[in-house]
Amino acid sequence: MIAVKLIPHLLSWFGIVLILLRGFPKRRSVVIATSIAGFVIGVVGAFLLLRVLTGSVGFVIITSVLGMCFLFLWGVSVAAIYSRAGRGVTTGWGVRLVSTPLCAGSVTAISGIVAGAVCSCTLPAMDSTLMNLAMLGSISGALAYVLAYAALAVEKRISHSFTVSPSGMISAVVALQLFSSSSIIRLDLFSPLSMKVMKFAHDFVHQFMESMLIPDHVFVWSYLWRYIGLLFGKEIGFWGGMFIWFTPVLLVMCAVQYERLPSVAHIRQGAERRKLLAAAIRQRRLRLVVPFIALLIFTAAAYQSCYPNVEYWDPKPIVVTATSSGEIIIPMKSDIDLEDGKLHKFLFKQGGKEARFFVLLGPAAKLTVDLDACAICKPDGYGQADGTVICYYCKTLIPLETVGKPGGCNPVPITFTEKKDGVHIDALTLINEWTNTVQSTTKGKEGGK
Amino acid sequence: MKRLLRLSGNLLTSRFTSPVVIGFFLLLYIGVAFFTEEALITQMELVRQSAVLVALLSLLPLNIASRIVAEMLRYIERRRLFSGTAADNESELFDETIVLAVSPAITGLQERLDGLGYRTYQTERSLSAWRGVSIFPARVLFLSGVFCLFLGILVSLVTRTSYRGPVIEGVALPTPSGNGGVVEQIRLEKSTGSILSKQLSMEVAPARPGDARVSCGIYPPTRYQGSFVYPRFLGVALLVQFSAPDLQKGFEKHAILNIYPAGKEAAVEIPDSPYRLMISMAESGDGSDPYMTGRMNFTCKLLKGNEMLFAGNVPGGGEFVRDGFRLAFPDFRRMVITDFIRDYGVLFVWSAAILFGASFLFWLPVRLFFPLRQMLFIRHGTDMIRACSRTEGKEKMHGGVFNETLDMFDAGRVERKTNLG
Amino acid sequence: MSDNIIETSGLTRSYGDICALKPLDLHVPEGEWLSVMGHSGSGKSTLMNLVGGLDRPSAGSLRVGGADLLALSEDGLARFRRESVGIIFQQHHMVPYLTAVENVMMAQYFHSVPDEAEARTALERVGLGHRLKNRPGELSGGEQQRVCIARAIINSPKLLLGDEPTGNLDHKSTVMVMELLKELRAEERFTIIMVTHNQEVAAWGDRTIYLDDGVLVREERMSS
Ligand SMILES: Nc1ncnc2c1ncn2[C@@H]1O[C@H](COP(=O)(O)OP(=O)(O)O)[C@@H](O)[C@H]1O
Ligand SMILES: [Mg+2]
């Protein structure tokens, strides 16, 4: 089971080593050594991190590191396209830097650590005894060793004309890392990215209209305003996320494709000149292969992130009623056990209005009651998966630790009292909260205000 | 000190400055977004409050301005080279430069280049040939647009002041300074425009003798005493009179109610009592807009605590009496909640938009159909020429012509016209 | 290495029982203009095809420009054809719906990358500067053959092969084409091997060999 889960991660790591070997052709031994060391450090380090730090902190750290790798790729791609587009921009120092052993070593080490850390996240719960650690270290070391030498053997067989530019190498490495991490739902970057983009688009349009003194919806044809309303939907988050996701690798491809051809003006025979140009064009085309593969991997990662291979725990809401004093009482133990750590959904109806909410025992052994809706998205509700709940509308993961705290896409918390016979909730508050929340979010989606 | 000056000079003129600064602000945004939901607003507030960030942001327009100057100088230098009046340090102004040990005397070359669509210009020292139009104007327009954009953002962030007040018929315009003219009339009409569905005009009488009358509309926003007048919501200023059997004093208040469009409710709290009024504008029977026609009826609900006592319709200017309760609206006027915004950055951002548009309109056809291609041959002594070439598009064909021309110099071939056929 | 661009020994090509080329020893020095004469079916085209890398010999050795054609792989042979040989046939073999300059650019394309400016110059050099945009059908036989010459020399081959290039031309056009070839050879210094039935045409060369039934029967050096 574990072995099957590990396969995509190990394959990604194999690919990473392969590409690094090709990217630093003069530093094979450095690449092999640091990548193995980095991988082992990553596996053991992340293992410790996830056990020492409670809750989701460890995952947040690893996700942030992945995010930084992605940002780094952004920087590299912009630099690549900028140095291509600008005349008189010298990147000689950059090229020299890339060919130093220090650069090869650090890039490889970081890639190894990240890959190892991601692998480590799939491991089952184990105690962090010295014994376990030593075993983990040696097993991962052996695996890394075998894979690295396999990559070396494969790399030696690939034709020498297949070169890769530094930016192409980085894009492929980052693509593989993100592909590897996208199969672990708590390390996923794409969904939070779309979420942030959605929020940014929302804020930006508001700010822009306000800054540019653009008339409010009262004065604008409503059909036009509907188009503006599109800027607030999930789609803009998705497409904006796609844009941010794919742009760097596309920029890298453009930078390669529009590389300046060598000057041939010193050659006084047309056929000779053309031969040189044709060779340069061929080289350029071959250098496009790796970024193109990276593009495909990015696509696969985005797909995996949008359609994760996870089953959500999403029970059908149980209809509840209020007592004559306007209280909803849910017993701790009946058909269901409120304190089993699972999401329990309820539906309350009163006078044509209804409210959906859930009760959940958090990891800190504290009960929380929340609306099955958040303050910013359409009320599509939540599902539960492995340490998190997910907002179905924007696909944001909310760690169980933070469920019960207000803000963002967190479920809106409801005040309640915990008594012997169960959880007591004020029916009117519940209905009001639900109505307010749903009204503001659905209106927000349509009216933009 | 000198080094410091040089460093800051480099910082201002380097073409890396702007991307690095923009990248920094992007990173800052990402960092801020990590900690707060309201990232954009927080970041704007951060910049506003930090002198360092303002200085960093102001690097952008400064850097762009210096880029404009630098690129103009390069452009002028290149032009001078082409007219044969400049010195020799041309290599970095071109894509390709090469020195050939050949006799520069070629007859017929000019006609040949003419035949290929190039225009030529010959001095005793040099021959220049070019075709197409330079995209340099588009570049300058673009850079100016970027300059205006960042300057606008900077000015707006640092100096924007905003004041919100209700504009009411018959009352002085509530400008921040407090000396606005009296609003004579507020008119709302249906619009036939393609974007705006309604037309609003607020007629303001002269504040002081000698001033002009002003009519404030929606877009583009009118400026009044240095502020932009930015109408936000419509509503009604209503004189509310209320008395209840258990209240000793009657209640009277000018309420500013944000109740447009018809049906939207606003609350009026009656102080020192459990009563609350929910007021909305009633739909007119004939589908017309009561705000436009001025025939307003108000739907009122009287609440005591959370309990509704009764509801009813009160015509503007009329009253409603029941069970000892009395509700009257002796006076009602149209009202517009308006922001008075003092922000010169807006002007810059608008000009930036215009500049970007103009730049794009110039750039696209030129780049697609007649990009500039130029070459320059300069004589060095009797048996050397220096050849330079540069393109802004269609490199391939031009490269061929350039290389062929060099071949001809090399072979001294042009004057020989193969006289066959 | 010798200065011979072509060296064959025992070069043989047979089609089943038919032996089109009997063992042939031939040496062509660099820069020579060699005329090949013989009756129909005497193996002239067979020889040209072998030397041009269009066909492989049945036996013997064949070196062209220092390269052993028998040892070359298919790819190597294709590269050899692309870069080292230019061929002119009796039929022009041009793409009928492309213009003259585009036909020349086709040859550049198969060699490396097209370059219109260079193709124009090449056509100007063969005196067709005014017919760049005409299709083959709109050109006279002599002009067509000149386009073929431009096409054959565009990739700067070391060896120019002509298989009865003037076979379909009248006297005046033939002289023009020959003049042109002579001029170009003076500039580009390529080697010419030209098959012809015409004694007069053969006389433009430095040396003539006579084939009969696949055997070199006679050799004649022109006095210039
Ligand atoms: N592809 C072939 N298959 C069989 N026989 C061929 C083939 N090509 C040429 N021959 C024969 O080889 C001989 C020489 O032909 P060729 O070289 O074309 O003669 P030439 O060009 O001198 O007229 C002829 O007898 C011809 O029939
Ligand atoms: Mg024949």
Side-chain angles (χ1 to χ4, degrees), chain A residues 93 104 175 178 190 261 314 331 374 393:
Chain A
W93 58 270
L178 293 180
F190 184 75
L261 291 173
D314 185 10
C374 74
Y393 181 77

mmCIF file with all atom_site columns, all heavy atoms in Angstrom, chain A residues 93 104 175 178 190 261 314 331 374 393:
data_model
loop_
_atom_site.group_PDB
_atom_site.id
_atom_site.type_symbol
_atom_site.label_atom_id
_atom_site.label_alt_id
_atom_site.label_comp_id
_atom_site.label_asym_id
_atom_site.label_entity_id
_atom_site.label_seq_id
_atom_site.pdbx_PDB_ins_code
_atom_site.Cartn_x
_atom_site.Cartn_y
_atom_site.Cartn_z
_atom_site.occupancy
_atom_site.B_iso_or_equiv
_atom_site.pdbx_formal_charge
_atom_site.auth_seq_id
_atom_site.auth_comp_id
_atom_site.auth_asym_id
_atom_site.auth_atom_id
_atom_site.pdbx_PDB_model_num
ATOM 1  N N   . TRP A 1 93  ? 27.196  36.833 -16.084 1.00 0.00 ? 93  TRP A N   1
ATOM 2  C CA  . TRP A 1 93  ? 27.485  36.441 -14.701 1.00 0.00 ? 93  TRP A CA  1
ATOM 3  C C   . TRP A 1 93  ? 26.533  35.344 -14.257 1.00 0.00 ? 93  TRP A C   1
ATOM 4  O O   . TRP A 1 93  ? 26.916  34.442 -13.532 1.00 0.00 ? 93  TRP A O   1
ATOM 5  C CB  . TRP A 1 93  ? 27.420  37.646 -13.785 1.00 0.00 ? 93  TRP A CB  1
ATOM 6  C CG  . TRP A 1 93  ? 26.107  38.354 -13.806 1.00 0.00 ? 93  TRP A CG  1
ATOM 7  C CD1 . TRP A 1 93  ? 25.762  39.377 -14.642 1.00 0.00 ? 93  TRP A CD1 1
ATOM 8  C CD2 . TRP A 1 93  ? 24.965  38.079 -13.005 1.00 0.00 ? 93  TRP A CD2 1
ATOM 9  N NE1 . TRP A 1 93  ? 24.470  39.754 -14.404 1.00 0.00 ? 93  TRP A NE1 1
ATOM 10 C CE2 . TRP A 1 93  ? 23.952  38.985 -13.392 1.00 0.00 ? 93  TRP A CE2 1
ATOM 11 C CE3 . TRP A 1 93  ? 24.696  37.166 -11.983 1.00 0.00 ? 93  TRP A CE3 1
ATOM 12 C CZ2 . TRP A 1 93  ? 22.695  38.986 -12.809 1.00 0.00 ? 93  TRP A CZ2 1
ATOM 13 C CZ3 . TRP A 1 93  ? 23.438  37.182 -11.398 1.00 0.00 ? 93  TRP A CZ3 1
ATOM 14 C CH2 . TRP A 1 93  ? 22.461  38.089 -11.810 1.00 0.00 ? 93  TRP A CH2 1
ATOM 15 N N   . ALA A 1 104 ? 25.450  24.060 -8.558  1.00 0.00 ? 104 ALA A N   1
ATOM 16 C CA  . ALA A 1 104 ? 24.950  22.714 -8.832  1.00 0.00 ? 104 ALA A CA  1
ATOM 17 C C   . ALA A 1 104 ? 24.596  22.017 -7.534  1.00 0.00 ? 104 ALA A C   1
ATOM 18 O O   . ALA A 1 104 ? 23.527  21.420 -7.389  1.00 0.00 ? 104 ALA A O   1
ATOM 19 C CB  . ALA A 1 104 ? 26.004  21.922 -9.599  1.00 0.00 ? 104 ALA A CB  1
ATOM 20 N N   . ALA A 1 175 ? 8.369   21.442 -11.654 1.00 0.00 ? 175 ALA A N   1
ATOM 21 C CA  . ALA A 1 175 ? 7.164   20.759 -12.119 1.00 0.00 ? 175 ALA A CA  1
ATOM 22 C C   . ALA A 1 175 ? 7.050   19.380 -11.479 1.00 0.00 ? 175 ALA A C   1
ATOM 23 O O   . ALA A 1 175 ? 5.989   18.982 -10.989 1.00 0.00 ? 175 ALA A O   1
ATOM 24 C CB  . ALA A 1 175 ? 7.199   20.627 -13.640 1.00 0.00 ? 175 ALA A CB  1
ATOM 25 N N   . LEU A 1 178 ? 6.099   19.655 -7.822  1.00 0.00 ? 178 LEU A N   1
ATOM 26 C CA  . LEU A 1 178 ? 4.696   19.992 -7.617  1.00 0.00 ? 178 LEU A CA  1
ATOM 27 C C   . LEU A 1 178 ? 3.806   18.820 -8.004  1.00 0.00 ? 178 LEU A C   1
ATOM 28 O O   . LEU A 1 178 ? 2.760   18.600 -7.390  1.00 0.00 ? 178 LEU A O   1
ATOM 29 C CB  . LEU A 1 178 ? 4.327   21.239 -8.419  1.00 0.00 ? 178 LEU A CB  1
ATOM 30 C CG  . LEU A 1 178 ? 5.028   22.494 -7.917  1.00 0.00 ? 178 LEU A CG  1
ATOM 31 C CD1 . LEU A 1 178 ? 4.633   23.699 -8.736  1.00 0.00 ? 178 LEU A CD1 1
ATOM 32 C CD2 . LEU A 1 178 ? 4.697   22.742 -6.461  1.00 0.00 ? 178 LEU A CD2 1
ATOM 33 N N   . PHE A 1 190 ? -2.133  24.196 -5.746  1.00 0.00 ? 190 PHE A N   1
ATOM 34 C CA  . PHE A 1 190 ? -2.952  24.813 -6.797  1.00 0.00 ? 190 PHE A CA  1
ATOM 35 C C   . PHE A 1 190 ? -4.257  25.369 -6.244  1.00 0.00 ? 190 PHE A C   1
ATOM 36 O O   . PHE A 1 190 ? -4.641  26.489 -6.568  1.00 0.00 ? 190 PHE A O   1
ATOM 37 C CB  . PHE A 1 190 ? -3.231  23.793 -7.902  1.00 0.00 ? 190 PHE A CB  1
ATOM 38 C CG  . PHE A 1 190 ? -3.975  24.385 -9.052  1.00 0.00 ? 190 PHE A CG  1
ATOM 39 C CD1 . PHE A 1 190 ? -3.326  25.204 -9.958  1.00 0.00 ? 190 PHE A CD1 1
ATOM 40 C CD2 . PHE A 1 190 ? -5.315  24.132 -9.219  1.00 0.00 ? 190 PHE A CD2 1
ATOM 41 C CE1 . PHE A 1 190 ? -4.012  25.761 -11.010 1.00 0.00 ? 190 PHE A CE1 1
ATOM 42 C CE2 . PHE A 1 190 ? -6.008  24.689 -10.273 1.00 0.00 ? 190 PHE A CE2 1
ATOM 43 C CZ  . PHE A 1 190 ? -5.350  25.503 -11.166 1.00 0.00 ? 190 PHE A CZ  1
ATOM 44 N N   . LEU A 1 261 ? 19.481  34.015 -32.606 1.00 0.00 ? 261 LEU A N   1
ATOM 45 C CA  . LEU A 1 261 ? 20.350  33.083 -33.321 1.00 0.00 ? 261 LEU A CA  1
ATOM 46 C C   . LEU A 1 261 ? 21.755  33.680 -33.372 1.00 0.00 ? 261 LEU A C   1
ATOM 47 O O   . LEU A 1 261 ? 21.910  34.891 -33.277 1.00 0.00 ? 261 LEU A O   1
ATOM 48 C CB  . LEU A 1 261 ? 19.809  32.865 -34.731 1.00 0.00 ? 261 LEU A CB  1
ATOM 49 C CG  . LEU A 1 261 ? 18.504  32.091 -34.760 1.00 0.00 ? 261 LEU A CG  1
ATOM 50 C CD1 . LEU A 1 261 ? 17.938  32.064 -36.164 1.00 0.00 ? 261 LEU A CD1 1
ATOM 51 C CD2 . LEU A 1 261 ? 18.720  30.666 -34.266 1.00 0.00 ? 261 LEU A CD2 1
ATOM 52 N N   . ASP A 1 314 ? -18.658 12.919 3.881   1.00 0.00 ? 314 ASP A N   1
ATOM 53 C CA  . ASP A 1 314 ? -19.669 13.955 3.737   1.00 0.00 ? 314 ASP A CA  1
ATOM 54 C C   . ASP A 1 314 ? -21.040 13.351 4.040   1.00 0.00 ? 314 ASP A C   1
ATOM 55 O O   . ASP A 1 314 ? -21.766 12.959 3.141   1.00 0.00 ? 314 ASP A O   1
ATOM 56 C CB  . ASP A 1 314 ? -19.630 14.531 2.319   1.00 0.00 ? 314 ASP A CB  1
ATOM 57 C CG  . ASP A 1 314 ? -20.579 15.696 2.187   1.00 0.00 ? 314 ASP A CG  1
ATOM 58 O OD1 . ASP A 1 314 ? -21.112 16.157 3.211   1.00 0.00 ? 314 ASP A OD1 1
ATOM 59 O OD2 . ASP A 1 314 ? -20.787 16.145 1.048   1.00 0.00 ? 314 ASP A OD2 1
ATOM 60 N N   . PRO A 1 331 ? -27.998 15.303 21.164  1.00 0.00 ? 331 PRO A N   1
ATOM 61 C CA  . PRO A 1 331 ? -27.385 14.456 22.191  1.00 0.00 ? 331 PRO A CA  1
ATOM 62 C C   . PRO A 1 331 ? -25.980 14.015 21.788  1.00 0.00 ? 331 PRO A C   1
ATOM 63 O O   . PRO A 1 331 ? -25.687 13.844 20.603  1.00 0.00 ? 331 PRO A O   1
ATOM 64 C CB  . PRO A 1 331 ? -28.330 13.254 22.268  1.00 0.00 ? 331 PRO A CB  1
ATOM 65 C CG  . PRO A 1 331 ? -29.074 13.268 20.975  1.00 0.00 ? 331 PRO A CG  1
ATOM 66 C CD  . PRO A 1 331 ? -29.162 14.688 20.528  1.00 0.00 ? 331 PRO A CD  1
ATOM 67 N N   . CYS A 1 374 ? -19.125 29.245 4.551   1.00 0.00 ? 374 CYS A N   1
ATOM 68 C CA  . CYS A 1 374 ? -18.161 30.211 5.035   1.00 0.00 ? 374 CYS A CA  1
ATOM 69 C C   . CYS A 1 374 ? -18.600 31.614 4.646   1.00 0.00 ? 374 CYS A C   1
ATOM 70 O O   . CYS A 1 374 ? -19.589 31.781 3.946   1.00 0.00 ? 374 CYS A O   1
ATOM 71 C CB  . CYS A 1 374 ? -16.766 29.919 4.482   1.00 0.00 ? 374 CYS A CB  1
ATOM 72 S SG  . CYS A 1 374 ? -16.576 30.343 2.754   1.00 0.00 ? 374 CYS A SG  1
ATOM 73 N N   . TYR A 1 393 ? -16.762 24.680 -2.551  1.00 0.00 ? 393 TYR A N   1
ATOM 74 C CA  . TYR A 1 393 ? -16.848 25.720 -3.578  1.00 0.00 ? 393 TYR A CA  1
ATOM 75 C C   . TYR A 1 393 ? -15.463 26.109 -4.078  1.00 0.00 ? 393 TYR A C   1
ATOM 76 O O   . TYR A 1 393 ? -15.205 26.088 -5.260  1.00 0.00 ? 393 TYR A O   1
ATOM 77 C CB  . TYR A 1 393 ? -17.573 26.950 -3.033  1.00 0.00 ? 393 TYR A CB  1
ATOM 78 C CG  . TYR A 1 393 ? -17.706 28.031 -4.068  1.00 0.00 ? 393 TYR A CG  1
ATOM 79 C CD1 . TYR A 1 393 ? -18.654 27.924 -5.072  1.00 0.00 ? 393 TYR A CD1 1
ATOM 80 C CD2 . TYR A 1 393 ? -16.870 29.144 -4.061  1.00 0.00 ? 393 TYR A CD2 1
ATOM 81 C CE1 . TYR A 1 393 ? -18.768 28.895 -6.038  1.00 0.00 ? 393 TYR A CE1 1
ATOM 82 C CE2 . TYR A 1 393 ? -16.985 30.111 -5.026  1.00 0.00 ? 393 TYR A CE2 1
ATOM 83 C CZ  . TYR A 1 393 ? -17.933 29.991 -6.018  1.00 0.00 ? 393 TYR A CZ  1
ATOM 84 O OH  . TYR A 1 393 ? -18.042 30.942 -6.979  1.00 0.00 ? 393 TYR A OH  1
#
